[in-house]
mmCIF file with all atom_site columns, all heavy atoms in Angstrom:
data_model
loop_
_atom_site.group_PDB
_atom_site.id
_atom_site.type_symbol
_atom_site.label_atom_id
_atom_site.label_alt_id
_atom_site.label_comp_id
_atom_site.label_asym_id
_atom_site.label_entity_id
_atom_site.label_seq_id
_atom_site.pdbx_PDB_ins_code
_atom_site.Cartn_x
_atom_site.Cartn_y
_atom_site.Cartn_z
_atom_site.occupancy
_atom_site.B_iso_or_equiv
_atom_site.pdbx_formal_charge
_atom_site.auth_seq_id
_atom_site.auth_comp_id
_atom_site.auth_asym_id
_atom_site.auth_atom_id
_atom_site.pdbx_PDB_model_num
ATOM 1   N N   . MET P 1 1  ? 0.809  -1.188 -0.040 1.00 42.00 ? 1  MET P N   1
ATOM 2   C CA  . MET P 1 1  ? -0.039 0.058  -0.027 1.00 42.00 ? 1  MET P CA  1
ATOM 3   C C   . MET P 1 1  ? 0.771  1.285  -0.035 1.00 42.00 ? 1  MET P C   1
ATOM 4   O O   . MET P 1 1  ? 0.481  2.322  -0.625 1.00 42.00 ? 1  MET P O   1
ATOM 5   C CB  . MET P 1 1  ? -1.001 -0.037 1.154  1.00 42.00 ? 1  MET P CB  1
ATOM 6   C CG  . MET P 1 1  ? -1.724 1.324  1.283  1.00 42.00 ? 1  MET P CG  1
ATOM 7   S SD  . MET P 1 1  ? -2.906 1.533  0.010  1.00 42.00 ? 1  MET P SD  1
ATOM 8   C CE  . MET P 1 1  ? -4.111 0.134  0.305  1.00 42.00 ? 1  MET P CE  1
ATOM 9   N N   . VAL P 1 2  ? 2.018  1.319  0.690  1.00 45.00 ? 2  VAL P N   1
ATOM 10  C CA  . VAL P 1 2  ? 2.805  2.418  0.784  1.00 45.00 ? 2  VAL P CA  1
ATOM 11  C C   . VAL P 1 2  ? 3.217  2.987  -0.589 1.00 45.00 ? 2  VAL P C   1
ATOM 12  O O   . VAL P 1 2  ? 3.106  4.110  -0.874 1.00 45.00 ? 2  VAL P O   1
ATOM 13  C CB  . VAL P 1 2  ? 4.128  2.172  1.639  1.00 45.00 ? 2  VAL P CB  1
ATOM 14  C CG1 . VAL P 1 2  ? 4.999  3.278  1.680  1.00 45.00 ? 2  VAL P CG1 1
ATOM 15  C CG2 . VAL P 1 2  ? 3.635  1.866  3.140  1.00 45.00 ? 2  VAL P CG2 1
ATOM 16  N N   . SER P 1 3  ? 3.616  2.087  -1.479 1.00 36.00 ? 3  SER P N   1
ATOM 17  C CA  . SER P 1 3  ? 4.106  2.446  -2.734 1.00 36.00 ? 3  SER P CA  1
ATOM 18  C C   . SER P 1 3  ? 3.121  3.161  -3.482 1.00 36.00 ? 3  SER P C   1
ATOM 19  O O   . SER P 1 3  ? 3.226  4.099  -4.349 1.00 36.00 ? 3  SER P O   1
ATOM 20  C CB  . SER P 1 3  ? 4.735  1.309  -3.516 1.00 36.00 ? 3  SER P CB  1
ATOM 21  O OG  . SER P 1 3  ? 3.749  0.366  -3.735 1.00 36.00 ? 3  SER P OG  1
ATOM 22  N N   . SER P 1 4  ? 1.783  2.713  -3.460 1.00 38.00 ? 4  SER P N   1
ATOM 23  C CA  . SER P 1 4  ? 0.754  3.392  -4.164 1.00 38.00 ? 4  SER P CA  1
ATOM 24  C C   . SER P 1 4  ? 0.379  4.768  -3.743 1.00 38.00 ? 4  SER P C   1
ATOM 25  O O   . SER P 1 4  ? -0.418 5.441  -4.340 1.00 38.00 ? 4  SER P O   1
ATOM 26  C CB  . SER P 1 4  ? -0.577 2.488  -4.140 1.00 38.00 ? 4  SER P CB  1
ATOM 27  O OG  . SER P 1 4  ? -1.132 2.493  -2.789 1.00 38.00 ? 4  SER P OG  1
ATOM 28  N N   . LEU P 1 5  ? 0.998  5.169  -2.454 1.00 41.00 ? 5  LEU P N   1
ATOM 29  C CA  . LEU P 1 5  ? 0.633  6.455  -2.073 1.00 41.00 ? 5  LEU P CA  1
ATOM 30  C C   . LEU P 1 5  ? 1.659  7.559  -2.404 1.00 41.00 ? 5  LEU P C   1
ATOM 31  O O   . LEU P 1 5  ? 1.361  8.745  -2.135 1.00 41.00 ? 5  LEU P O   1
ATOM 32  C CB  . LEU P 1 5  ? 0.493  6.400  -0.482 1.00 41.00 ? 5  LEU P CB  1
ATOM 33  C CG  . LEU P 1 5  ? -0.639 5.493  0.062  1.00 41.00 ? 5  LEU P CG  1
ATOM 34  C CD1 . LEU P 1 5  ? -0.531 5.302  1.511  1.00 41.00 ? 5  LEU P CD1 1
ATOM 35  C CD2 . LEU P 1 5  ? -1.991 5.791  -0.412 1.00 41.00 ? 5  LEU P CD2 1
ATOM 36  N N   . ARG P 1 6  ? 2.755  7.116  -2.904 1.00 37.00 ? 6  ARG P N   1
ATOM 37  C CA  . ARG P 1 6  ? 3.800  7.986  -3.092 1.00 37.00 ? 6  ARG P CA  1
ATOM 38  C C   . ARG P 1 6  ? 3.557  9.224  -4.018 1.00 37.00 ? 6  ARG P C   1
ATOM 39  O O   . ARG P 1 6  ? 4.060  10.297 -3.719 1.00 37.00 ? 6  ARG P O   1
ATOM 40  C CB  . ARG P 1 6  ? 5.152  7.309  -3.459 1.00 37.00 ? 6  ARG P CB  1
ATOM 41  C CG  . ARG P 1 6  ? 5.598  6.310  -2.512 1.00 37.00 ? 6  ARG P CG  1
ATOM 42  C CD  . ARG P 1 6  ? 6.994  5.730  -3.017 1.00 37.00 ? 6  ARG P CD  1
ATOM 43  N NE  . ARG P 1 6  ? 7.521  4.807  -1.983 1.00 37.00 ? 6  ARG P NE  1
ATOM 44  C CZ  . ARG P 1 6  ? 8.243  4.952  -0.914 1.00 37.00 ? 6  ARG P CZ  1
ATOM 45  N NH1 . ARG P 1 6  ? 8.475  6.282  -0.731 1.00 37.00 ? 6  ARG P NH1 1
ATOM 46  N NH2 . ARG P 1 6  ? 8.612  4.060  -0.231 1.00 37.00 ? 6  ARG P NH2 1
ATOM 47  N N   . THR P 1 7  ? 2.675  8.969  -4.900 1.00 40.00 ? 7  THR P N   1
ATOM 48  C CA  . THR P 1 7  ? 2.528  10.001 -5.929 1.00 40.00 ? 7  THR P CA  1
ATOM 49  C C   . THR P 1 7  ? 1.485  11.033 -5.479 1.00 40.00 ? 7  THR P C   1
ATOM 50  O O   . THR P 1 7  ? 1.274  11.978 -6.143 1.00 40.00 ? 7  THR P O   1
ATOM 51  C CB  . THR P 1 7  ? 2.023  9.446  -7.259 1.00 40.00 ? 7  THR P CB  1
ATOM 52  O OG1 . THR P 1 7  ? 0.730  8.618  -6.879 1.00 40.00 ? 7  THR P OG1 1
ATOM 53  C CG2 . THR P 1 7  ? 3.018  8.436  -7.731 1.00 40.00 ? 7  THR P CG2 1
ATOM 54  N N   . HIS P 1 8  ? 0.911  10.842 -4.258 1.00 48.00 ? 8  HIS P N   1
ATOM 55  C CA  . HIS P 1 8  ? -0.220 11.700 -3.914 1.00 48.00 ? 8  HIS P CA  1
ATOM 56  C C   . HIS P 1 8  ? 0.122  12.941 -3.147 1.00 48.00 ? 8  HIS P C   1
ATOM 57  O O   . HIS P 1 8  ? -0.678 13.892 -2.984 1.00 48.00 ? 8  HIS P O   1
ATOM 58  C CB  . HIS P 1 8  ? -1.263 10.915 -3.126 1.00 48.00 ? 8  HIS P CB  1
ATOM 59  C CG  . HIS P 1 8  ? -2.079 9.995  -3.970 1.00 48.00 ? 8  HIS P CG  1
ATOM 60  N ND1 . HIS P 1 8  ? -3.317 10.290 -4.434 1.00 48.00 ? 8  HIS P ND1 1
ATOM 61  C CD2 . HIS P 1 8  ? -1.801 8.697  -4.420 1.00 48.00 ? 8  HIS P CD2 1
ATOM 62  C CE1 . HIS P 1 8  ? -3.913 9.260  -5.215 1.00 48.00 ? 8  HIS P CE1 1
ATOM 63  N NE2 . HIS P 1 8  ? -2.849 8.364  -5.187 1.00 48.00 ? 8  HIS P NE2 1
ATOM 64  N N   . ARG P 1 9  ? 1.337  13.043 -2.564 1.00 54.00 ? 9  ARG P N   1
ATOM 65  C CA  . ARG P 1 9  ? 1.716  14.116 -1.682 1.00 54.00 ? 9  ARG P CA  1
ATOM 66  C C   . ARG P 1 9  ? 1.494  15.509 -2.302 1.00 54.00 ? 9  ARG P C   1
ATOM 67  O O   . ARG P 1 9  ? 1.032  16.410 -1.658 1.00 54.00 ? 9  ARG P O   1
ATOM 68  C CB  . ARG P 1 9  ? 3.113  13.975 -1.259 1.00 54.00 ? 9  ARG P CB  1
ATOM 69  C CG  . ARG P 1 9  ? 3.604  15.168 -0.383 1.00 54.00 ? 9  ARG P CG  1
ATOM 70  C CD  . ARG P 1 9  ? 2.922  15.422 0.894  1.00 54.00 ? 9  ARG P CD  1
ATOM 71  N NE  . ARG P 1 9  ? 3.117  14.217 1.759  1.00 54.00 ? 9  ARG P NE  1
ATOM 72  C CZ  . ARG P 1 9  ? 4.063  13.947 2.546  1.00 54.00 ? 9  ARG P CZ  1
ATOM 73  N NH1 . ARG P 1 9  ? 5.026  14.776 2.678  1.00 54.00 ? 9  ARG P NH1 1
ATOM 74  N NH2 . ARG P 1 9  ? 3.994  12.867 3.262  1.00 54.00 ? 9  ARG P NH2 1
ATOM 75  N N   . HIS P 1 10 ? 1.794  15.655 -3.702 1.00 50.00 ? 10 HIS P N   1
ATOM 76  C CA  . HIS P 1 10 ? 1.851  16.934 -4.141 1.00 50.00 ? 10 HIS P CA  1
ATOM 77  C C   . HIS P 1 10 ? 0.620  17.093 -5.146 1.00 50.00 ? 10 HIS P C   1
ATOM 78  O O   . HIS P 1 10 ? 0.670  18.084 -5.994 1.00 50.00 ? 10 HIS P O   1
ATOM 79  C CB  . HIS P 1 10 ? 3.059  17.283 -4.913 1.00 50.00 ? 10 HIS P CB  1
ATOM 80  C CG  . HIS P 1 10 ? 4.323  17.201 -4.008 1.00 50.00 ? 10 HIS P CG  1
ATOM 81  N ND1 . HIS P 1 10 ? 4.393  18.166 -2.862 1.00 50.00 ? 10 HIS P ND1 1
ATOM 82  C CD2 . HIS P 1 10 ? 5.287  16.280 -3.933 1.00 50.00 ? 10 HIS P CD2 1
ATOM 83  C CE1 . HIS P 1 10 ? 5.478  17.881 -2.226 1.00 50.00 ? 10 HIS P CE1 1
ATOM 84  N NE2 . HIS P 1 10 ? 6.070  16.737 -2.786 1.00 50.00 ? 10 HIS P NE2 1
ATOM 85  N N   . ALA P 1 11 ? -0.389 16.192 -5.070 1.00 62.00 ? 11 ALA P N   1
ATOM 86  C CA  . ALA P 1 11 ? -1.452 16.295 -5.963 1.00 62.00 ? 11 ALA P CA  1
ATOM 87  C C   . ALA P 1 11 ? -2.277 17.513 -5.513 1.00 62.00 ? 11 ALA P C   1
ATOM 88  O O   . ALA P 1 11 ? -2.187 18.105 -4.471 1.00 62.00 ? 11 ALA P O   1
ATOM 89  C CB  . ALA P 1 11 ? -2.427 15.084 -5.789 1.00 62.00 ? 11 ALA P CB  1
ATOM 90  N N   . HIS P 1 12 ? -3.231 17.988 -6.404 1.00 84.00 ? 12 HIS P N   1
ATOM 91  C CA  . HIS P 1 12 ? -4.049 19.117 -6.111 1.00 84.00 ? 12 HIS P CA  1
ATOM 92  C C   . HIS P 1 12 ? -5.320 18.756 -5.415 1.00 84.00 ? 12 HIS P C   1
ATOM 93  O O   . HIS P 1 12 ? -6.115 17.992 -6.024 1.00 84.00 ? 12 HIS P O   1
ATOM 94  C CB  . HIS P 1 12 ? -4.312 19.791 -7.414 1.00 84.00 ? 12 HIS P CB  1
ATOM 95  C CG  . HIS P 1 12 ? -5.152 21.049 -7.249 1.00 84.00 ? 12 HIS P CG  1
ATOM 96  N ND1 . HIS P 1 12 ? -4.733 22.262 -6.516 1.00 84.00 ? 12 HIS P ND1 1
ATOM 97  C CD2 . HIS P 1 12 ? -6.462 21.320 -7.476 1.00 84.00 ? 12 HIS P CD2 1
ATOM 98  C CE1 . HIS P 1 12 ? -5.759 23.047 -6.340 1.00 84.00 ? 12 HIS P CE1 1
ATOM 99  N NE2 . HIS P 1 12 ? -6.754 22.663 -7.048 1.00 84.00 ? 12 HIS P NE2 1
ATOM 100 N N   . TYR P 1 13 ? -5.520 19.365 -4.211 1.00 93.00 ? 13 TYR P N   1
ATOM 101 C CA  . TYR P 1 13 ? -6.649 18.945 -3.494 1.00 93.00 ? 13 TYR P CA  1
ATOM 102 C C   . TYR P 1 13 ? -7.465 20.380 -3.304 1.00 93.00 ? 13 TYR P C   1
ATOM 103 O O   . TYR P 1 13 ? -6.930 21.408 -3.236 1.00 93.00 ? 13 TYR P O   1
ATOM 104 C CB  . TYR P 1 13 ? -6.349 18.346 -2.157 1.00 93.00 ? 13 TYR P CB  1
ATOM 105 C CG  . TYR P 1 13 ? -5.637 16.939 -2.429 1.00 93.00 ? 13 TYR P CG  1
ATOM 106 C CD1 . TYR P 1 13 ? -4.407 16.749 -2.000 1.00 93.00 ? 13 TYR P CD1 1
ATOM 107 C CD2 . TYR P 1 13 ? -6.279 16.000 -3.054 1.00 93.00 ? 13 TYR P CD2 1
ATOM 108 C CE1 . TYR P 1 13 ? -3.683 15.564 -2.044 1.00 93.00 ? 13 TYR P CE1 1
ATOM 109 C CE2 . TYR P 1 13 ? -5.685 14.770 -3.247 1.00 93.00 ? 13 TYR P CE2 1
ATOM 110 C CZ  . TYR P 1 13 ? -4.479 14.526 -2.760 1.00 93.00 ? 13 TYR P CZ  1
ATOM 111 O OH  . TYR P 1 13 ? -3.770 13.435 -3.079 1.00 93.00 ? 13 TYR P OH  1
#
Side-chain angles (χ1 to χ4, degrees):
M1 177 63 71
V2 172
S3 61
S4 69
L5 300 176
R6 291 186 185 277
T7 59
H8 284 264
R9 172 64 60 83
H10 301 293
H12 178 71
Y13 298 118

